[in-house]
Amino acid sequence: MRQVRLAKDAMDRDWADPGLDLGAVAAHAGYSRYHFIRAFKEAYGETPGQYLTHRRIERAEDLLRTANLSVTEICHLVGFSSVGTFSARFKAWTGLTPSEYRTKHVGRGAALIPGCYAMLWAGGFRPAPAPGQQRNSGEAG
């Protein structure tokens, strides 16, 4: 049980990392992927994938209520790599699409945090290249 708790702690810490996968979390616990899924579900009542999705959706709900960011930006900030998957999972969890959720909940409380501050806080900006260095050709300037 201790190993499963440590793996859950790692998921709680790194939930926004889109590269967080079952294999890495299971290895952190010292279990095979399939044994880890069974042990995690027995301990917490849901699979590791369901748990991680719920953590990400909860964070997305918070950002939709408080930050002036697009749904796409929020999708990527919370660890989803596909807006379609994010929207489908969000609707399955909340009963609303991300846009519907924002419309329903914005205006209750404080003003929205400007997107630039939210992105900075969430680590969404990369530092500018040092003088003399060029950006990758695929990056916007």
Side-chain angles (χ1 to χ4, degrees):
M1 183 63 182
R2 181 177 184 277
Q3 292 90 347
V4 174
R5 245 183 285 126
L6 290 174
K8 181 180 175 285
D9 290 345
M11 290 170 64
D12 287 339
R13 182 183 58 248
D14 300 329
W15 58 267
D17 179 3
L20 185 65
D21 69 342
L22 180 61
V25 177
H28 188 73
Y31 290 139
S32 72
R33 294 169 49 117
Y34 302 105
H35 183 68
F36 178 68
I37 290 170
R38 285 190 300 272
F40 192 95
K41 186 167 184 170
E42 184 179 317
Y44 297 106
E46 59 187 346
T47 67
Q50 291 167 334
Y51 177 78
L52 188 57
T53 296
H54 294 161
R55 291 276 297 154
R56 289 174 171 169
I57 298 294
E58 288 169 355
R59 183 65 183 128
E61 287 175 314
D62 185 44
L63 288 170
L64 286 164
R65 284 190 309 268
T66 60
N68 188 17
L69 295 168
S70 71
V71 171
T72 301
E73 289 169 323
I74 291 171
C75 163
H76 294 294
L77 280 174
V78 300
F80 285 93
S81 54
S82 163
V83 177
T85 300
F86 168 66
S87 295
R89 298 237 172 105
F90 191 94
K91 185 168 184 172
W93 180 253
T94 65
L96 302 168
T97 66
S99 298
E100 291 169 343
Y101 185 89
R102 172 176 273 157
T103 301
K104 181 176 179 180
H105 292 284
V106 165
R108 298 180 179 184
L112 291 178
I113 299 168
C116 57
Y117 288 111
M119 289 289 284
L120 183 64
W121 175 80
F125 291 118
R126 286 181 258 157
Q133 288 183 329
Q134 291 184 332
R135 292 182 181 263
N136 292 339
S137 60
E139 284 187 34

